[in-house]
Amino acid sequence: MKKKNDIFKALVLNPLVVIIYMIAAYYLYYLSMYGGVRRNAPIIIGCAILLLIWLFVCLFIYFRNRNTNKYTEASTRLKSISTYWFYTAIILLLSITATTGYFVYQSAQPYNGKLSWVIDDLVNTKKIAFEHNNIFKNSLEGIFTDIQSEIELPAELYVSSDLNLTYDSTGKITSLYTLIYGKNQNEETEAFLLTLDKGSDEIQVRLNGIINYELNETKRLQPLVDTIKAIPLQEITMDWSEEETYSIYYQGYRSWGNNSEGIYWINDEGNNISVPDSYSDEEYAGYAVSVYIAGKEDTITPKRFIDRSFTLSDDYIEKQEKEKNSFDLGYNYKDQVESYFLTEEIGFQLPITDAATGSRYYALEKTVDGGASWERINQEPFYPSSGVSSGIIFFDEQLGFIGLSKNGGSEGFIYRTEDGGVTFEKIEIPEVEVTVSEDLIYNPFDLPDMPYIENEKLYMTVGQGTDGDYNGGVKALYVSDDLGHTWEYVEEINN
């Protein structure tokens, strides 16, 4: 009977079974590290099915022959080989399992592989049913009503860079993208990335956790919410009735200098809308909300509404003047630092080490005690270039990006580190050729923004800088599947 069991076990774990198991393990590792469900999952499932089929075949053979003497008549040599192979197969399978398990575990560590992005998305992203989705009926408050039904937001909110929203002729909000932040009850600054994809009925809220953003008065969200209530959106939509999609853009306090084109004042707490005097020398500035048709800004003038009841505080204006004067004098760079915090304790910053006309030089520093002390990691992270820092972001203590703008913000570069900032390499971004005429083909996109995570991938927008005017100021969207080593152009998107 013992001979029969030994031969049966060797039959179950024959060399072909080990090979199939090894193939499945390899593709499982590859899936966890690099993704590609459509490409890798069928192979893994196919291997699993083959192994199950073989197990059932072996069981069928075993039960059919268990009462016969077929196996007991086997030679001593066959029995010996079967025993040795069985234990060898066990060792091989355990080794394959342990090795695969180790690499899968490593891929689950933050930003180490595709699995880590999936886990991060599951933990930090929440999908919320978007029910109050009609901007005519619910204004913007509907968005935050739905979000706050499941997530507690800070009382006072700010936009990090800008807010982009589109809606259709019925008022249904069809897409949304913005990063908002504010101080919670513990006086910690929390950030939330809001995304509504076209065709989706769910708002995706990414909980970006505690960050080190200073509350920027020029980025207050409340003026947007109140201004939207006062704007006659339905009338504007009817005036542009031939269009299918309408856009709203907000980035906080803005100035158009003395250009009054498309400007509308909102007066008397939203009860009166007027057109400014085009012959006035006043500055047209304020918390502006733009309503426009994407891609047709040159032919259909955007309507920019400014509620004059929202103004910058005297304290803010006074602080700005002090900072400007101190920088012009060439000292006191303390408040000019770009910084990014991963946790309450761990953060990175780019302090200015020197300045020349129109350019600055930076170092990279790290803190592990919440900013109480800083260690200089890199004396010249942008070497040999100088300019003005355009951003910094770290996804863990090793992987990070920093940006540098040149020539007054007309162009820029982005740099990547995977060793915590000890070394940086400039990212090569594939150029996009735009045909303006038969004699003019050029790449208008030359000012990259900081990368961000979405749908388990790294994305990055590249703008046109201060001198760009192609197609209403659109940006180029890029995606990376290898943690920012290489980038692939996706499409043009509205700024």
Side-chain angles (χ1 to χ4, degrees), residues 403-422:
L404 187 72
S405 66
K406 306 275 289 181
N407 302 324
S410 62
E411 62 177 340
F413 308 101
I414 188 166
Y415 299 76
R416 178 184 183 275
T417 180
E418 56 182 26
D419 56 16
V422 176

Short mmCIF file of all heavy atoms in Angstrom, two decimals, residues 403-422:
data_model
loop_
_atom_site.label_atom_id
_atom_site.label_comp_id
_atom_site.label_asym_id
_atom_site.label_seq_id
_atom_site.Cartn_x
_atom_site.Cartn_y
_atom_site.Cartn_z
N GLY A 403 10.34 70.56 -9.62
CA GLY A 403 10.22 71.28 -10.88
C GLY A 403 10.96 72.60 -10.85
O GLY A 403 11.13 73.22 -9.80
N LEU A 404 11.38 73.04 -12.02
CA LEU A 404 12.10 74.31 -12.17
C LEU A 404 11.56 75.04 -13.38
O LEU A 404 11.51 74.48 -14.48
CB LEU A 404 13.60 74.05 -12.33
CG LEU A 404 14.51 75.29 -12.34
CD1 LEU A 404 14.61 75.87 -10.93
CD2 LEU A 404 15.90 74.93 -12.85
N SER A 405 11.13 76.29 -13.20
CA SER A 405 10.68 77.10 -14.33
C SER A 405 11.77 78.07 -14.73
O SER A 405 12.58 78.50 -13.90
CB SER A 405 9.39 77.85 -13.98
OG SER A 405 9.64 78.82 -12.97
N LYS A 406 11.79 78.41 -16.02
CA LYS A 406 12.84 79.28 -16.57
C LYS A 406 12.20 80.43 -17.33
O LYS A 406 11.03 80.37 -17.72
CB LYS A 406 13.73 78.47 -17.52
CG LYS A 406 14.32 77.21 -16.92
CD LYS A 406 15.59 77.45 -16.17
CE LYS A 406 16.73 77.78 -17.10
NZ LYS A 406 18.00 78.00 -16.38
N ASN A 407 12.99 81.44 -17.55
CA ASN A 407 12.60 82.56 -18.42
C ASN A 407 11.24 83.15 -18.05
O ASN A 407 10.35 83.30 -18.88
CB ASN A 407 12.60 82.12 -19.89
CG ASN A 407 13.94 81.60 -20.34
OD1 ASN A 407 14.98 82.11 -19.92
ND2 ASN A 407 13.93 80.56 -21.17
N GLY A 408 11.08 83.46 -16.78
CA GLY A 408 9.84 84.10 -16.33
C GLY A 408 8.63 83.19 -16.37
O GLY A 408 7.50 83.66 -16.47
N GLY A 409 8.85 81.87 -16.30
CA GLY A 409 7.74 80.93 -16.31
C GLY A 409 7.27 80.55 -17.70
O GLY A 409 6.20 79.96 -17.87
N SER A 410 8.07 80.86 -18.73
CA SER A 410 7.67 80.52 -20.10
C SER A 410 8.00 79.07 -20.45
O SER A 410 7.47 78.52 -21.41
CB SER A 410 8.35 81.45 -21.10
OG SER A 410 9.77 81.32 -21.04
N GLU A 411 8.90 78.43 -19.68
CA GLU A 411 9.23 77.04 -19.90
C GLU A 411 9.76 76.46 -18.59
O GLU A 411 10.00 77.20 -17.62
CB GLU A 411 10.28 76.89 -21.00
CG GLU A 411 11.60 77.57 -20.67
CD GLU A 411 12.65 77.33 -21.75
OE1 GLU A 411 12.49 76.37 -22.51
OE2 GLU A 411 13.63 78.10 -21.81
N GLY A 412 9.94 75.14 -18.57
CA GLY A 412 10.43 74.54 -17.34
C GLY A 412 10.83 73.10 -17.52
O GLY A 412 10.70 72.52 -18.60
N PHE A 413 11.34 72.52 -16.42
CA PHE A 413 11.81 71.14 -16.43
C PHE A 413 11.34 70.45 -15.15
O PHE A 413 10.99 71.11 -14.16
CB PHE A 413 13.34 71.08 -16.51
CG PHE A 413 13.92 71.89 -17.63
CD1 PHE A 413 14.48 73.15 -17.39
CD2 PHE A 413 13.90 71.41 -18.93
CE1 PHE A 413 15.01 73.90 -18.42
CE2 PHE A 413 14.42 72.16 -19.98
CZ PHE A 413 14.98 73.41 -19.72
N ILE A 414 11.35 69.12 -15.18
CA ILE A 414 11.00 68.36 -13.99
C ILE A 414 12.07 67.30 -13.77
O ILE A 414 12.61 66.73 -14.72
CB ILE A 414 9.60 67.73 -14.12
CG1 ILE A 414 9.17 67.11 -12.80
CG2 ILE A 414 9.52 66.73 -15.26
CD1 ILE A 414 7.70 66.77 -12.74
N TYR A 415 12.40 67.07 -12.49
CA TYR A 415 13.48 66.17 -12.12
C TYR A 415 12.93 65.07 -11.20
O TYR A 415 12.02 65.31 -10.41
CB TYR A 415 14.59 66.93 -11.40
CG TYR A 415 15.23 68.02 -12.23
CD1 TYR A 415 14.58 69.23 -12.45
CD2 TYR A 415 16.49 67.84 -12.80
CE1 TYR A 415 15.16 70.24 -13.21
CE2 TYR A 415 17.09 68.84 -13.56
CZ TYR A 415 16.42 70.04 -13.77
OH TYR A 415 16.99 71.02 -14.53
N ARG A 416 13.53 63.88 -11.31
CA ARG A 416 13.05 62.71 -10.57
C ARG A 416 14.17 62.13 -9.70
O ARG A 416 15.33 62.07 -10.13
CB ARG A 416 12.55 61.64 -11.54
CG ARG A 416 12.07 60.34 -10.90
CD ARG A 416 11.71 59.33 -11.98
NE ARG A 416 11.17 58.10 -11.42
CZ ARG A 416 11.91 57.08 -11.00
NH1 ARG A 416 13.23 57.16 -11.09
NH2 ARG A 416 11.34 55.99 -10.50
N THR A 417 13.81 61.69 -8.49
CA THR A 417 14.74 60.98 -7.63
C THR A 417 14.11 59.68 -7.16
O THR A 417 12.89 59.62 -6.95
CB THR A 417 15.15 61.82 -6.41
OG1 THR A 417 16.08 61.07 -5.61
CG2 THR A 417 13.95 62.19 -5.55
N GLU A 418 14.92 58.66 -7.01
CA GLU A 418 14.44 57.42 -6.42
C GLU A 418 15.33 56.98 -5.26
O GLU A 418 15.26 55.85 -4.80
CB GLU A 418 14.37 56.30 -7.47
CG GLU A 418 15.64 56.02 -8.20
CD GLU A 418 15.49 54.94 -9.27
OE1 GLU A 418 14.38 54.75 -9.81
OE2 GLU A 418 16.50 54.28 -9.56
N ASP A 419 16.18 57.91 -4.79
CA ASP A 419 17.02 57.62 -3.64
C ASP A 419 16.87 58.69 -2.55
O ASP A 419 17.81 59.02 -1.84
CB ASP A 419 18.49 57.50 -4.05
CG ASP A 419 19.01 58.73 -4.80
OD1 ASP A 419 18.36 59.79 -4.74
OD2 ASP A 419 20.07 58.63 -5.45
N GLY A 420 15.65 59.23 -2.46
CA GLY A 420 15.37 60.19 -1.40
C GLY A 420 15.94 61.57 -1.61
O GLY A 420 16.02 62.35 -0.66
N GLY A 421 16.36 61.89 -2.85
CA GLY A 421 16.86 63.22 -3.14
C GLY A 421 18.36 63.34 -3.18
O GLY A 421 18.90 64.42 -3.43
N VAL A 422 19.06 62.23 -2.96
CA VAL A 422 20.53 62.27 -3.02
C VAL A 422 20.97 62.61 -4.44
O VAL A 422 21.90 63.39 -4.65
CB VAL A 422 21.12 60.92 -2.57
CG1 VAL A 422 22.65 60.93 -2.72
CG2 VAL A 422 20.74 60.63 -1.12
#
